[in-house]
């Protein structure tokens, strides 16, 4: 299992995870294991524009600034110039300039019900970053239902038209199992069993939802020898 979930350098093997085909993929693990960085790099390399979702508007406001640009490290490492631009009250991440190649559109779940005028038909992926609330973070009323409603807005009638459903990849830090998504899908007990049994991957019988717990991350093992 470890050999498939991680690449030879110990980072998350995103091509393997994404190609399993689950609609909802909840990947939970320690910080700095390559969750967001590796996933966004994979989608950019594939030429797939995606929806970059955060829980709160305050979080997306930070991402909309040059200093909080979630693509900053990718830019430095790959010689890219992906920048945030405000377009009609929404945030778009584009290469080089406001009219450049669209990489992602940034949205906040807390305000997604008020969003109008966006055609999501060109997006096949949702990256829900930091989906597990940190201690003290502002709650969102009926958060799980708000998330499902947003997904329905994005997915629309694609499956009825013979298209694949939008794939949603949810990234969370391992700070609380009693989060809106584990609770909403009744996954809390499953996650506890996975931890106790050293199981890293669970997929529902209908193969629509997957949980991945990065409990044996080679990067986390290496970080144990650092100052953190």
């Amino acid at each position: 299992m470890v050999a498939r979930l991680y690449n030879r350098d110990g980072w998350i093997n995103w091509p393997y995870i994404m190609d399993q085909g689950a609609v909802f993929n909840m990947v939970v693990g320690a910080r700095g294991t390559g969750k967001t960085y590796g996933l966004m790099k994979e989608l950019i390399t594939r030429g797939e524009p995606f929806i970059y979702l955060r829980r709160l508007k305050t979080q997306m406001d930070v991402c909309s600034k040059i200093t909080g640009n979630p693509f900053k490290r990718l830019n430095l490492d790959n010689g890219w110039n992906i920048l945030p631009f405000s377009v009609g009250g929404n945030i778009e991440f584009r290469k080089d300039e406001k009219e450049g190649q669209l990489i992602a559109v940034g949205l906040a779940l807390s305000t997604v019900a008020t969003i109008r005028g966006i055609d999501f038909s060109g997006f096949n992926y949702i990256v829900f970053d930091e989906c597990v609330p940190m201690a003290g973070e502002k709650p969102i009323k009926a958060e799980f239902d708000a998330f499902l409603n947003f997904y329905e807005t994005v997915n629309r009638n694609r499956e009825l038209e013979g298209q694949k459903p939008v794939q949603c990849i949810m990234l969370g830090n391992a700070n609380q199992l009693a989060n809106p998504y584990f609770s909403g899908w009744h996954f809390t007990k499953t996650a506890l069993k996975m931890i106790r049994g050293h199981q890293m991957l669970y997929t529902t019988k209908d193969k629509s939802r997957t949980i991945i717990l990065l409990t044996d991350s080679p990067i986390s093992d290496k970080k144990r020898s650092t100052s953190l």
Side-chain angles (χ1 to χ4, degrees):
M1 179 60 67
V2 174
R4 287 182 289 175
L5 286 179
Y6 301 104
N7 62 28
R8 67 180 67 183
D9 297 318
W11 301 104
I12 300 173
N13 184 357
W14 281 115
Y16 169 77
I17 293 172
M18 294 165 66
D19 291 346
Q20 298 309 297
V23 176
F24 299 101
N25 303 264
M26 195 156 185
V27 182
V28 178
R31 292 180 177 276
T33 51
K35 296 192 297 295
T36 306
Y37 180 102
L39 176 57
M40 293 200 300
K41 184 176 181 180
E42 178 65 24
L43 288 171
I44 294 168
T45 302
R46 293 187 182 194
E48 288 278 3
F50 57 92
I51 296 169
Y52 180 69
L53 183 67
R54 296 295 298 264
R55 292 185 63 251
L56 304 174
K57 182 179 183 298
T58 52
Q59 295 168 335
M60 187 51 62
D61 286 344
V62 172
C63 293
S64 69
K65 311 298 183 185
I66 296 297
T67 53
N69 182 2
F71 296 90
K72 184 190 299 183
R73 188 74 227 182
L74 283 162
N75 286 340
L76 289 172
D77 291 348
N78 298 278
W80 296 337
N81 189 35
I82 301 172
L83 301 171
F85 297 95
S86 179
V87 180
N90 302 308
I91 304 302
E92 294 183 355
F93 297 94
R94 292 181 177 269
K95 277 192 175 180
D96 300 321
E97 59 185 1
K98 197 169 185 178
E99 303 302 323
Q101 179 188 349
L102 177 65
I103 301 299
V105 59
L107 303 173
L109 183 62
S110 62
T111 59
V112 78
T114 64
I115 291 175
R116 298 290 185 273
I118 296 182
D119 179 7
F120 293 113
S121 60
F123 298 97
N124 297 316
Y125 295 91
I126 299 170
V127 175
F128 191 177
D129 201 10
E130 305 281 3
C131 68
V132 178
M134 297 290 290
E137 271 189 5
K138 180 181 178 181
I140 298 174
K141 185 179 180 181
E143 179 167 343
F144 183 66
D145 289 339
F147 166 74
L148 292 182
N149 287 336
F150 170 68
Y151 180 83
E152 174 63 23
T153 298
V154 176
N155 198 52
R156 291 294 184 182
N157 296 323
R158 297 189 194 206
E159 293 167 89
L160 300 179
E161 298 168 355
Q163 302 178 46
K164 291 183 178 180
V166 174
Q167 190 172 46
C168 182
I169 304 168
M170 309 169 70
L171 310 174
N173 294 312
N175 47 53
Q176 58 172 317
L177 293 181
N179 62 72
Y181 305 97
F182 277 1
S183 298
W185 278 313
H186 306 290
F187 278 165
T188 305
K189 289 184 179 180
T190 300
L192 284 170
K193 290 180 181 178
M194 291 173 68
I195 293 170
R196 291 168 181 160
H198 301 283
Q199 179 183 351
M200 297 174 62
L201 187 147
Y202 167 82
T203 302
T204 58
K205 290 182 180 180
D206 63 2
K207 300 187 183 302
S208 67
R209 289 156 290 160
T210 289
I211 303 174
I212 295 174
L213 302 181
L214 303 173
T215 52
D216 294 320
S217 166
I219 299 300
S220 290
D221 287 341
K222 291 179 182 179
K223 289 180 70 173
R224 289 193 178 98
S225 64
T226 68
S227 59
L228 290 175

